[in-house]
Amino acid sequence: MVVTNWAGNVSFRAAAFHQPASVPELQRLVAASPRVKALGLGHSFNPIADTTGDLVSLARLPKPVTIDAALRRVTVGAGVTYGELAARLDQAGYALANLASLPHISVAGAVATGTHGSGNSLGSLATAVAAIDLITASGDLVTLSRDHSGAQFAGAVVSLGALGIAVTVTLDIEPTYQVRQYVYENLPLAALDDHLDEVFASAYSVSLFTDWRAPVITQAWLKLRAGQGLARPPQRWLGARQADGPRHPLGLDPAWCTPQLGVPGPWHERLPHFRLDFTPSAGQELQSEYLIPRHRALEAIHAIEPIGDRIAPVLQVAEIRTVAADDLWLSPCYQRDTTAFHFTWIDDPAAVLPVLAVIEDQLAPLAPRPHWGKLFTMAPDVLASEYQRLPDFAGLLLSHDPSGKFRNAFLDAYLPAAPG
């Protein structure tokens, strides 16, 4: 049986593939296995979830969604998707602060790799985590929490699956809210020279799309929370014009996207770009993302623009977003407000990888951190220089997984273990 990731560009080398139906069954499997990794939904683009041992899908595990109204928290099964969770939360009158552009991704996988949405004041999805129930190398089930695990909790949230297999995750929640979404077209790139901060402060969540073929932001998606901003935003804004109908970032059928034109609706039907009942591209793409200190975002734009002719032939669309700083050791937003430069590529690794090397060379002076679950070519020593807590994380690895049960070639390269 050949198991691949969502995009099909990674074929996993596992000796065996398992789909346990209960947590005790998974505990027994982990305890007996010399090497094991959890696959999640496979929405990654590099071998971060690969293993030569036992590959485990969490798809058949129970999917609890338990709300604690007093603490304003929800505990969910690791295999639950954000789309599934959001619908349950909204029904009960609650919400998450933010969502990624796709609601199809699993909670545990998104958290473990530092995945994010957009918003100046909004941290990555991992910043909502209050506790994780983890199966460790011995097969024991342990709980790590913000309330009781001390400073090491900040090292255990974005952990790349290196500490164990998460079976439940507890998240902070808040009362439900509504969002209005507007799209502006053809914002001149030059407008960002003097108005970049204004653009990203203009809404609760802002996404800028471009194809890097011309000096223009082809679409700017503004998501305003209820009570925020003007009742009717202007038709023209910094040289851009408000779209007269729904839009898709790639110019495809906008029916696949969440409602626009300022029609108010539930948070979970506006914060993602795409509807839960539609899977964009069906895997026909590759993805990369580089996260830059926010105060250097304009430098990054000026560094990328001159190589637009190299990027455009293999690009489907690029997106620029902002993320707030956090204190999670392996988060790409660790201790710095961030601007994220995302690239959705054509499904051709041989054509894309050389372009990544050019982008990384251009961004090198700006301290880029790649998204852990996407494609990059950055050397391990270069990446390590951007994570000052790597030695602390190596110690955490040694205490949780001394035999390296959850390690693989990717982790050996980028997260070398501390000596025993």
Side-chain angles (χ1 to χ4, degrees), residues 282-369:
Q284 303 285 319
E285 64 184 47
L286 302 172
Q287 293 182 14
S288 300
E289 186 171 42
Y290 300 95
L291 296 98
I292 306 292
R294 193 180 302 172
H295 71 278
R296 309 198 71 176
L298 198 56
E299 292 178 75
I301 291 170
H302 289 160
I304 295 172
E305 186 183 6
I307 58 170
D309 61 336
R310 292 289 307 275
I311 294 172
V314 293
L315 182 72
Q316 295 194 50
V317 71
E319 181 179 8
I320 307 172
R321 294 176 285 177
T322 56
V323 194
D326 60 49
D327 64 351
L328 306 175
W329 296 355
L330 294 189
S331 167
C333 303
Y334 178 72
Q335 292 193 343
R336 68 187 200 190
D337 289 331
T338 294
T339 301
F341 291 80
H342 187 276
F343 302 87
T344 300
W345 307 107
I346 63 173
D347 186 14
D348 186 347
V352 168
L353 290 175
V355 177
L356 296 188
V358 175
I359 293 173
E360 290 169 10
D361 185 60
Q362 288 291 101
L363 295 179
L366 307 179
R369 294 172 179 165

Side-chain angles (χ1 to χ4, degrees), residues 80-292:
V80 172
T81 67
Y82 276 96
E84 293 168 333
L85 170 60
R88 294 278 296 275
L89 282 178
D90 192 61
Q91 263 186 342
Y94 292 99
L96 299 171
N98 205 1
L99 290 170
S101 57
L102 285 177
H104 311 74
I105 58 178
S106 70
V107 172
V111 163
T113 54
T115 298
H116 60 88
S118 182
N120 275 356
S121 63
L122 301 171
S124 73
L125 302 181
T127 59
V129 175
I132 301 174
D133 289 325
L134 199 68
I135 297 177
T136 62
S138 62
D140 294 328
L141 186 63
V142 302
T143 299
L144 304 173
S145 74
R146 186 194 298 150
D147 298 334
H148 303 294
S149 297
Q152 288 193 337
F153 182 69
V157 180
V158 180
S159 65
L160 317 188
L163 302 181
I165 297 180
V167 290
T168 60
V169 181
T170 299
L171 306 172
D172 297 326
I173 56 176
E174 59 185 87
T176 191
Y177 54 89
Q178 293 211 323
V179 173
R180 296 176 291 138
Q181 182 167 229
Y182 296 87
V183 174
Y184 283 84
E185 296 182 293
N186 299 320
L187 173 69
L189 201 63
L192 301 182
D193 287 345
D194 297 321
H195 301 283
L196 184 66
D197 292 341
E198 175 187 340
V199 167
F200 280 111
S202 63
Y204 184 70
S205 173
V206 176
S207 290
L208 305 182
F209 293 97
T210 181
D211 57 15
W212 293 111
R213 293 180 182 275
V216 65
I217 298 298
T218 53
Q219 295 179 16
W221 289 41
L222 277 57
K223 303 169 192 276
L224 288 86
R225 207 165 149 154
Q228 178 191 27
L230 300 172
R232 290 187 178 180
Q235 288 298 307
R236 285 199 166 274
W237 175 60
L238 299 177
R241 179 180 289 277
Q242 194 177 134
D244 59 4
R247 296 292 189 265
H248 186 292
L250 286 169
L252 303 176
D253 188 345
W256 303 336
C257 297
T258 49
Q260 302 157 28
L261 300 174
V263 178
W267 57 282
H268 62 99
E269 295 179 1
R270 300 295 185 278
L271 290 179
H273 300 330
F274 299 101
R275 295 159 49 114
L276 181 62
D277 54 358
F278 168 71
T279 304
S281 304
Q284 303 285 319
E285 64 184 47
L286 302 172
Q287 293 182 14
S288 300
E289 186 171 42
Y290 300 95
L291 296 98
I292 306 292

